[in-house]
Amino acid sequence: MGYPENVLARDEHVVLHRHPHWKRLLGPALVLLVATALAAFGAGWVNQTDWDVNAKRIIFGVIAALWLVLVGWLSIWPFLTWWTTHFVITDRRVMFRHGLLTRSGIDIPLARINSVEFKHGVLDRMLRTGTLIIESASQDPLEFYDIPRVEQVHSLLYHEVFDTLDSEESPS
């Protein structure tokens, strides 16, 4: 899925577009599996009882409602939040957008970036992800968590900043 072109300036080109790393979806996927297994077990147990048909229907409805609330809140919502989180590098700026109902974001012009760092622990290194830290001229450092292939992104962003500074300093 490409980043929407309507947020780009004229002649601005996307160099990199990433969602957070898929590791953010492991917990929601586990919740989906466990909640589904428990709901199926509960429905199977209720089905084996000698209860009245109407009582069984009510209990099936309660099980389905609980499953829907759990899965919606702990699986679907985190997935949609992941899907609507964008880390974008263009030839002019770094953009970060997130949020499903309430959107927020930040843009950092490449010319204003002072330093770019990354950090990742052992698990992050195995999963090829990490935290990207961008320090700009007027702000405290900004940390962007769970950036896939953070070392490549770091290198790419460094080169984009360097190219931007070179093009501003050299006479046209």
mmCIF file of all heavy atoms in Angstrom, residues 52-89:
data_model
loop_
_atom_site.group_PDB
_atom_site.id
_atom_site.type_symbol
_atom_site.label_atom_id
_atom_site.label_comp_id
_atom_site.label_asym_id
_atom_site.label_seq_id
_atom_site.Cartn_x
_atom_site.Cartn_y
_atom_site.Cartn_z
ATOM 1 N N ASP A 52 -32.624 -26.041 28.250
ATOM 2 C CA ASP A 52 -33.680 -25.596 27.346
ATOM 3 C C ASP A 52 -33.046 -24.908 26.121
ATOM 4 O O ASP A 52 -31.997 -24.271 26.230
ATOM 5 C CB ASP A 52 -34.598 -24.615 28.100
ATOM 6 C CG ASP A 52 -35.745 -24.133 27.242
ATOM 7 O OD1 ASP A 52 -36.426 -24.986 26.629
ATOM 8 O OD2 ASP A 52 -35.940 -22.897 27.176
ATOM 9 N N VAL A 53 -33.687 -25.034 24.981
ATOM 10 C CA VAL A 53 -33.176 -24.456 23.723
ATOM 11 C C VAL A 53 -33.017 -22.943 23.833
ATOM 12 O O VAL A 53 -32.019 -22.378 23.369
ATOM 13 C CB VAL A 53 -34.104 -24.833 22.545
ATOM 14 C CG1 VAL A 53 -33.683 -24.133 21.281
ATOM 15 C CG2 VAL A 53 -34.132 -26.332 22.348
ATOM 16 N N ASN A 54 -33.981 -22.267 24.466
ATOM 17 C CA ASN A 54 -33.897 -20.804 24.615
ATOM 18 C C ASN A 54 -32.734 -20.410 25.525
ATOM 19 O O ASN A 54 -32.050 -19.411 25.271
ATOM 20 C CB ASN A 54 -35.208 -20.240 25.143
ATOM 21 C CG ASN A 54 -36.295 -20.272 24.096
ATOM 22 O OD1 ASN A 54 -36.007 -20.211 22.892
ATOM 23 N ND2 ASN A 54 -37.540 -20.373 24.539
ATOM 24 N N ALA A 55 -32.488 -21.169 26.571
ATOM 25 C CA ALA A 55 -31.364 -20.894 27.467
ATOM 26 C C ALA A 55 -30.044 -21.054 26.713
ATOM 27 O O ALA A 55 -29.121 -20.246 26.874
ATOM 28 C CB ALA A 55 -31.404 -21.809 28.677
ATOM 29 N N LYS A 56 -29.975 -22.098 25.894
ATOM 30 C CA LYS A 56 -28.760 -22.304 25.097
ATOM 31 C C LYS A 56 -28.530 -21.133 24.149
ATOM 32 O O LYS A 56 -27.404 -20.657 23.990
ATOM 33 C CB LYS A 56 -28.847 -23.609 24.303
ATOM 34 C CG LYS A 56 -28.646 -24.851 25.125
ATOM 35 C CD LYS A 56 -28.659 -26.079 24.218
ATOM 36 C CE LYS A 56 -28.448 -27.349 24.982
ATOM 37 N NZ LYS A 56 -28.423 -28.529 24.113
ATOM 38 N N ARG A 57 -29.590 -20.652 23.508
ATOM 39 C CA ARG A 57 -29.458 -19.521 22.574
ATOM 40 C C ARG A 57 -28.941 -18.281 23.281
ATOM 41 O O ARG A 57 -28.093 -17.555 22.756
ATOM 42 C CB ARG A 57 -30.800 -19.227 21.906
ATOM 43 C CG ARG A 57 -31.155 -20.187 20.833
ATOM 44 C CD ARG A 57 -32.370 -19.693 20.057
ATOM 45 N NE ARG A 57 -32.855 -20.780 19.213
ATOM 46 C CZ ARG A 57 -34.112 -21.084 19.053
ATOM 47 N NH1 ARG A 57 -35.055 -20.377 19.660
ATOM 48 N NH2 ARG A 57 -34.461 -22.085 18.284
ATOM 49 N N ILE A 58 -29.464 -18.034 24.474
ATOM 50 C CA ILE A 58 -29.016 -16.866 25.237
ATOM 51 C C ILE A 58 -27.538 -17.001 25.594
ATOM 52 O O ILE A 58 -26.759 -16.056 25.447
ATOM 53 C CB ILE A 58 -29.888 -16.678 26.499
ATOM 54 C CG1 ILE A 58 -31.297 -16.262 26.089
ATOM 55 C CG2 ILE A 58 -29.264 -15.655 27.449
ATOM 56 C CD1 ILE A 58 -32.297 -16.265 27.224
ATOM 57 N N ILE A 59 -27.145 -18.168 26.048
ATOM 58 C CA ILE A 59 -25.739 -18.380 26.413
ATOM 59 C C ILE A 59 -24.840 -18.298 25.173
ATOM 60 O O ILE A 59 -23.754 -17.716 25.224
ATOM 61 C CB ILE A 59 -25.560 -19.708 27.180
ATOM 62 C CG1 ILE A 59 -26.280 -19.605 28.525
ATOM 63 C CG2 ILE A 59 -24.092 -20.030 27.387
ATOM 64 C CD1 ILE A 59 -26.298 -20.867 29.328
ATOM 65 N N PHE A 60 -25.276 -18.843 24.047
ATOM 66 C CA PHE A 60 -24.507 -18.699 22.801
ATOM 67 C C PHE A 60 -24.364 -17.227 22.429
ATOM 68 O O PHE A 60 -23.300 -16.787 21.982
ATOM 69 C CB PHE A 60 -25.180 -19.452 21.646
ATOM 70 C CG PHE A 60 -25.064 -20.951 21.723
ATOM 71 C CD1 PHE A 60 -26.095 -21.756 21.258
ATOM 72 C CD2 PHE A 60 -23.940 -21.571 22.234
ATOM 73 C CE1 PHE A 60 -26.008 -23.128 21.310
ATOM 74 C CE2 PHE A 60 -23.838 -22.947 22.295
ATOM 75 C CZ PHE A 60 -24.871 -23.734 21.832
ATOM 76 N N GLY A 61 -25.428 -16.462 22.623
ATOM 77 C CA GLY A 61 -25.368 -15.024 22.342
ATOM 78 C C GLY A 61 -24.385 -14.305 23.247
ATOM 79 O O GLY A 61 -23.639 -13.425 22.801
ATOM 80 N N VAL A 62 -24.369 -14.686 24.528
ATOM 81 C CA VAL A 62 -23.420 -14.084 25.474
ATOM 82 C C VAL A 62 -21.990 -14.451 25.090
ATOM 83 O O VAL A 62 -21.091 -13.594 25.094
ATOM 84 C CB VAL A 62 -23.741 -14.530 26.917
ATOM 85 C CG1 VAL A 62 -22.618 -14.155 27.876
ATOM 86 C CG2 VAL A 62 -25.064 -13.937 27.367
ATOM 87 N N ILE A 63 -21.763 -15.709 24.745
ATOM 88 C CA ILE A 63 -20.419 -16.145 24.324
ATOM 89 C C ILE A 63 -19.988 -15.379 23.076
ATOM 90 O O ILE A 63 -18.856 -14.884 22.994
ATOM 91 C CB ILE A 63 -20.377 -17.669 24.090
ATOM 92 C CG1 ILE A 63 -20.503 -18.420 25.419
ATOM 93 C CG2 ILE A 63 -19.098 -18.078 23.369
ATOM 94 C CD1 ILE A 63 -20.667 -19.924 25.280
ATOM 95 N N ALA A 64 -20.894 -15.257 22.112
ATOM 96 C CA ALA A 64 -20.565 -14.533 20.876
ATOM 97 C C ALA A 64 -20.286 -13.056 21.157
ATOM 98 O O ALA A 64 -19.347 -12.476 20.584
ATOM 99 C CB ALA A 64 -21.700 -14.680 19.863
ATOM 100 N N ALA A 65 -21.064 -12.445 22.041
ATOM 101 C CA ALA A 65 -20.853 -11.030 22.371
ATOM 102 C C ALA A 65 -19.509 -10.829 23.073
ATOM 103 O O ALA A 65 -18.767 -9.896 22.748
ATOM 104 C CB ALA A 65 -21.994 -10.521 23.245
ATOM 105 N N LEU A 66 -19.198 -11.708 24.038
ATOM 106 C CA LEU A 66 -17.897 -11.619 24.712
ATOM 107 C C LEU A 66 -16.752 -11.807 23.727
ATOM 108 O O LEU A 66 -15.753 -11.084 23.774
ATOM 109 C CB LEU A 66 -17.809 -12.656 25.832
ATOM 110 C CG LEU A 66 -18.613 -12.361 27.089
ATOM 111 C CD1 LEU A 66 -18.566 -13.554 28.044
ATOM 112 C CD2 LEU A 66 -18.102 -11.106 27.770
ATOM 113 N N TRP A 67 -16.892 -12.778 22.835
ATOM 114 C CA TRP A 67 -15.855 -13.017 21.829
ATOM 115 C C TRP A 67 -15.685 -11.780 20.946
ATOM 116 O O TRP A 67 -14.559 -11.355 20.681
ATOM 117 C CB TRP A 67 -16.215 -14.231 20.974
ATOM 118 C CG TRP A 67 -15.210 -14.501 19.906
ATOM 119 C CD1 TRP A 67 -14.063 -15.237 20.025
ATOM 120 C CD2 TRP A 67 -15.238 -14.032 18.554
ATOM 121 N NE1 TRP A 67 -13.372 -15.247 18.833
ATOM 122 C CE2 TRP A 67 -14.081 -14.512 17.907
ATOM 123 C CE3 TRP A 67 -16.128 -13.252 17.830
ATOM 124 C CZ2 TRP A 67 -13.795 -14.225 16.585
ATOM 125 C CZ3 TRP A 67 -15.852 -12.971 16.502
ATOM 126 C CH2 TRP A 67 -14.698 -13.458 15.890
ATOM 127 N N LEU A 68 -16.793 -11.203 20.510
ATOM 128 C CA LEU A 68 -16.743 -10.044 19.630
ATOM 129 C C LEU A 68 -16.079 -8.845 20.311
ATOM 130 O O LEU A 68 -15.240 -8.160 19.710
ATOM 131 C CB LEU A 68 -18.152 -9.675 19.168
ATOM 132 C CG LEU A 68 -18.257 -8.647 18.057
ATOM 133 C CD1 LEU A 68 -17.544 -9.143 16.801
ATOM 134 C CD2 LEU A 68 -19.713 -8.363 17.750
ATOM 135 N N VAL A 69 -16.417 -8.612 21.575
ATOM 136 C CA VAL A 69 -15.808 -7.498 22.308
ATOM 137 C C VAL A 69 -14.313 -7.730 22.490
ATOM 138 O O VAL A 69 -13.499 -6.839 22.235
ATOM 139 C CB VAL A 69 -16.507 -7.296 23.678
ATOM 140 C CG1 VAL A 69 -15.710 -6.372 24.577
ATOM 141 C CG2 VAL A 69 -17.917 -6.759 23.474
ATOM 142 N N LEU A 70 -13.932 -8.938 22.934
ATOM 143 C CA LEU A 70 -12.505 -9.232 23.138
ATOM 144 C C LEU A 70 -11.710 -9.134 21.836
ATOM 145 O O LEU A 70 -10.652 -8.500 21.800
ATOM 146 C CB LEU A 70 -12.337 -10.631 23.740
ATOM 147 C CG LEU A 70 -12.481 -10.749 25.236
ATOM 148 C CD1 LEU A 70 -12.406 -12.206 25.661
ATOM 149 C CD2 LEU A 70 -11.415 -9.945 25.946
ATOM 150 N N VAL A 71 -12.213 -9.758 20.810
ATOM 151 C CA VAL A 71 -11.485 -9.762 19.540
ATOM 152 C C VAL A 71 -11.459 -8.357 18.932
ATOM 153 O O VAL A 71 -10.434 -7.908 18.414
ATOM 154 C CB VAL A 71 -12.094 -10.794 18.564
ATOM 155 C CG1 VAL A 71 -11.569 -10.613 17.162
ATOM 156 C CG2 VAL A 71 -11.784 -12.199 19.060
ATOM 157 N N GLY A 72 -12.574 -7.646 19.013
ATOM 158 C CA GLY A 72 -12.602 -6.297 18.466
ATOM 159 C C GLY A 72 -11.653 -5.357 19.179
ATOM 160 O O GLY A 72 -10.914 -4.598 18.556
ATOM 161 N N TRP A 73 -11.646 -5.426 20.503
ATOM 162 C CA TRP A 73 -10.843 -4.517 21.305
ATOM 163 C C TRP A 73 -9.367 -4.896 21.327
ATOM 164 O O TRP A 73 -8.496 -4.034 21.247
ATOM 165 C CB TRP A 73 -11.408 -4.483 22.716
ATOM 166 C CG TRP A 73 -10.700 -3.567 23.667
ATOM 167 C CD1 TRP A 73 -10.158 -2.339 23.413
ATOM 168 C CD2 TRP A 73 -10.458 -3.809 25.050
ATOM 169 N NE1 TRP A 73 -9.612 -1.816 24.544
ATOM 170 C CE2 TRP A 73 -9.782 -2.694 25.571
ATOM 171 C CE3 TRP A 73 -10.766 -4.861 25.895
ATOM 172 C CZ2 TRP A 73 -9.404 -2.598 26.903
ATOM 173 C CZ3 TRP A 73 -10.392 -4.755 27.220
ATOM 174 C CH2 TRP A 73 -9.723 -3.640 27.707
ATOM 175 N N LEU A 74 -9.071 -6.185 21.426
ATOM 176 C CA LEU A 74 -7.682 -6.619 21.613
ATOM 177 C C LEU A 74 -7.019 -7.170 20.353
ATOM 178 O O LEU A 74 -5.822 -7.455 20.374
ATOM 179 C CB LEU A 74 -7.624 -7.661 22.733
ATOM 180 C CG LEU A 74 -8.077 -7.169 24.111
ATOM 181 C CD1 LEU A 74 -8.078 -8.313 25.106
ATOM 182 C CD2 LEU A 74 -7.216 -6.019 24.591
ATOM 183 N N SER A 75 -7.763 -7.352 19.251
ATOM 184 C CA SER A 75 -7.158 -7.858 18.012
ATOM 185 C C SER A 75 -7.396 -6.931 16.830
ATOM 186 O O SER A 75 -6.454 -6.521 16.163
ATOM 187 C CB SER A 75 -7.692 -9.250 17.671
ATOM 188 O OG SER A 75 -7.227 -10.196 18.581
ATOM 189 N N ILE A 76 -8.659 -6.616 16.573
ATOM 190 C CA ILE A 76 -8.966 -5.818 15.387
ATOM 191 C C ILE A 76 -8.492 -4.380 15.556
ATOM 192 O O ILE A 76 -7.882 -3.811 14.643
ATOM 193 C CB ILE A 76 -10.475 -5.888 15.066
ATOM 194 C CG1 ILE A 76 -10.834 -7.320 14.676
ATOM 195 C CG2 ILE A 76 -10.848 -4.921 13.949
ATOM 196 C CD1 ILE A 76 -12.311 -7.576 14.527
ATOM 197 N N TRP A 77 -8.755 -3.779 16.721
ATOM 198 C CA TRP A 77 -8.331 -2.395 16.947
ATOM 199 C C TRP A 77 -6.807 -2.246 16.840
ATOM 200 O O TRP A 77 -6.337 -1.330 16.147
ATOM 201 C CB TRP A 77 -8.836 -1.895 18.305
ATOM 202 C CG TRP A 77 -8.533 -0.449 18.518
ATOM 203 C CD1 TRP A 77 -7.496 0.089 19.220
ATOM 204 C CD2 TRP A 77 -9.271 0.650 17.985
ATOM 205 N NE1 TRP A 77 -7.546 1.454 19.174
ATOM 206 C CE2 TRP A 77 -8.636 1.823 18.416
ATOM 207 C CE3 TRP A 77 -10.405 0.753 17.188
ATOM 208 C CZ2 TRP A 77 -9.095 3.096 18.077
ATOM 209 C CZ3 TRP A 77 -10.864 2.020 16.862
ATOM 210 C CH2 TRP A 77 -10.209 3.169 17.302
ATOM 211 N N PRO A 78 -5.989 -3.095 17.474
ATOM 212 C CA PRO A 78 -4.538 -2.970 17.295
ATOM 213 C C PRO A 78 -4.099 -3.168 15.840
ATOM 214 O O PRO A 78 -3.171 -2.497 15.374
ATOM 215 C CB PRO A 78 -3.953 -4.064 18.189
ATOM 216 C CG PRO A 78 -4.979 -4.286 19.223
ATOM 217 C CD PRO A 78 -6.294 -4.079 18.533
ATOM 218 N N PHE A 79 -4.769 -4.079 15.117
ATOM 219 C CA PHE A 79 -4.419 -4.255 13.705
ATOM 220 C C PHE A 79 -4.717 -2.986 12.912
ATOM 221 O O PHE A 79 -3.891 -2.541 12.111
ATOM 222 C CB PHE A 79 -5.174 -5.432 13.089
ATOM 223 C CG PHE A 79 -4.994 -5.522 11.604
ATOM 224 C CD1 PHE A 79 -3.811 -5.998 11.070
ATOM 225 C CD2 PHE A 79 -5.991 -5.090 10.747
ATOM 226 C CE1 PHE A 79 -3.617 -6.045 9.694
ATOM 227 C CE2 PHE A 79 -5.816 -5.134 9.373
ATOM 228 C CZ PHE A 79 -4.623 -5.614 8.841
ATOM 229 N N LEU A 80 -5.886 -2.396 13.124
ATOM 230 C CA LEU A 80 -6.234 -1.175 12.395
ATOM 231 C C LEU A 80 -5.305 -0.021 12.775
ATOM 232 O O LEU A 80 -4.946 0.797 11.926
ATOM 233 C CB LEU A 80 -7.692 -0.808 12.641
ATOM 234 C CG LEU A 80 -8.715 -1.767 12.041
ATOM 235 C CD1 LEU A 80 -10.124 -1.376 12.461
ATOM 236 C CD2 LEU A 80 -8.595 -1.839 10.532
ATOM 237 N N THR A 81 -4.909 0.040 14.045
ATOM 238 C CA THR A 81 -3.947 1.063 14.475
ATOM 239 C C THR A 81 -2.610 0.850 13.776
ATOM 240 O O THR A 81 -1.985 1.806 13.313
ATOM 241 C CB THR A 81 -3.779 1.014 16.004
ATOM 242 O OG1 THR A 81 -5.045 1.223 16.609
ATOM 243 C CG2 THR A 81 -2.809 2.063 16.482
ATOM 244 N N TRP A 82 -2.161 -0.392 13.685
ATOM 245 C CA TRP A 82 -0.916 -0.705 12.972
ATOM 246 C C TRP A 82 -1.040 -0.304 11.503
ATOM 247 O O TRP A 82 -0.125 0.287 10.936
ATOM 248 C CB TRP A 82 -0.632 -2.203 13.102
ATOM 249 C CG TRP A 82 0.498 -2.686 12.270
ATOM 250 C CD1 TRP A 82 1.832 -2.672 12.608
ATOM 251 C CD2 TRP A 82 0.428 -3.249 10.960
ATOM 252 N NE1 TRP A 82 2.576 -3.192 11.588
ATOM 253 C CE2 TRP A 82 1.739 -3.560 10.556
ATOM 254 C CE3 TRP A 82 -0.612 -3.516 10.088
ATOM 255 C CZ2 TRP A 82 2.035 -4.117 9.325
ATOM 256 C CZ3 TRP A 82 -0.321 -4.077 8.858
ATOM 257 C CH2 TRP A 82 0.982 -4.366 8.496
ATOM 258 N N TRP A 83 -2.166 -0.634 10.901
ATOM 259 C CA TRP A 83 -2.370 -0.383 9.473
ATOM 260 C C TRP A 83 -2.393 1.109 9.154
ATOM 261 O O TRP A 83 -2.004 1.519 8.070
ATOM 262 C CB TRP A 83 -3.676 -1.042 9.011
ATOM 263 C CG TRP A 83 -3.898 -0.975 7.542
ATOM 264 C CD1 TRP A 83 -4.769 -0.175 6.882
ATOM 265 C CD2 TRP A 83 -3.233 -1.727 6.532
ATOM 266 N NE1 TRP A 83 -4.697 -0.380 5.531
ATOM 267 C CE2 TRP A 83 -3.750 -1.344 5.288
ATOM 268 C CE3 TRP A 83 -2.236 -2.702 6.576
ATOM 269 C CZ2 TRP A 83 -3.319 -1.885 4.096
ATOM 270 C CZ3 TRP A 83 -1.813 -3.238 5.378
ATOM 271 C CH2 TRP A 83 -2.344 -2.839 4.166
ATOM 272 N N THR A 84 -2.852 1.930 10.086
ATOM 273 C CA THR A 84 -2.949 3.367 9.842
ATOM 274 C C THR A 84 -1.757 4.143 10.396
ATOM 275 O O THR A 84 -1.800 5.372 10.459
ATOM 276 C CB THR A 84 -4.254 3.929 10.439
ATOM 277 O OG1 THR A 84 -4.287 3.649 11.837
ATOM 278 C CG2 THR A 84 -5.473 3.335 9.755
ATOM 279 N N THR A 85 -0.716 3.460 10.806
ATOM 280 C CA THR A 85 0.516 4.113 11.240
ATOM 281 C C THR A 85 1.515 4.059 10.088
ATOM 282 O O THR A 85 1.798 2.991 9.556
ATOM 283 C CB THR A 85 1.102 3.410 12.482
ATOM 284 O OG1 THR A 85 0.136 3.463 13.530
ATOM 285 C CG2 THR A 85 2.384 4.077 12.938
ATOM 286 N N HIS A 86 2.012 5.236 9.708
ATOM 287 C CA HIS A 86 2.907 5.344 8.560
ATOM 288 C C HIS A 86 4.173 6.084 8.951
ATOM 289 O O HIS A 86 4.114 7.145 9.574
ATOM 290 C CB HIS A 86 2.242 6.130 7.421
ATOM 291 C CG HIS A 86 0.963 5.535 6.949
ATOM 292 N ND1 HIS A 86 0.909 4.565 5.982
ATOM 293 C CD2 HIS A 86 -0.322 5.770 7.316
ATOM 294 C CE1 HIS A 86 -0.349 4.243 5.758
ATOM 295 N NE2 HIS A 86 -1.123 4.953 6.569
ATOM 296 N N PHE A 87 5.309 5.528 8.579
ATOM 297 C CA PHE A 87 6.597 6.201 8.674
ATOM 298 C C PHE A 87 7.074 6.372 7.241
ATOM 299 O O PHE A 87 7.309 5.383 6.538
ATOM 300 C CB PHE A 87 7.601 5.373 9.487
ATOM 301 C CG PHE A 87 8.935 6.044 9.623
ATOM 302 C CD1 PHE A 87 9.120 7.039 10.557
ATOM 303 C CD2 PHE A 87 9.985 5.692 8.800
ATOM 304 C CE1 PHE A 87 10.345 7.673 10.676
ATOM 305 C CE2 PHE A 87 11.204 6.311 8.909
ATOM 306 C CZ PHE A 87 11.395 7.311 9.860
ATOM 307 N N VAL A 88 7.187 7.624 6.800
ATOM 308 C CA VAL A 88 7.469 7.913 5.396
ATOM 309 C C VAL A 88 8.666 8.845 5.312
ATOM 310 O O VAL A 88 8.737 9.858 6.014
ATOM 311 C CB VAL A 88 6.244 8.575 4.710
ATOM 312 C CG1 VAL A 88 6.546 8.876 3.249
ATOM 313 C CG2 VAL A 88 5.023 7.689 4.832
ATOM 314 N N ILE A 89 9.594 8.503 4.421
ATOM 315 C CA ILE A 89 10.699 9.397 4.089
ATOM 316 C C ILE A 89 10.515 9.808 2.637
ATOM 317 O O ILE A 89 10.350 8.945 1.769
ATOM 318 C CB ILE A 89 12.068 8.708 4.277
ATOM 319 C CG1 ILE A 89 12.255 8.271 5.732
ATOM 320 C CG2 ILE A 89 13.200 9.648 3.850
ATOM 321 C CD1 ILE A 89 13.505 7.455 5.967
#
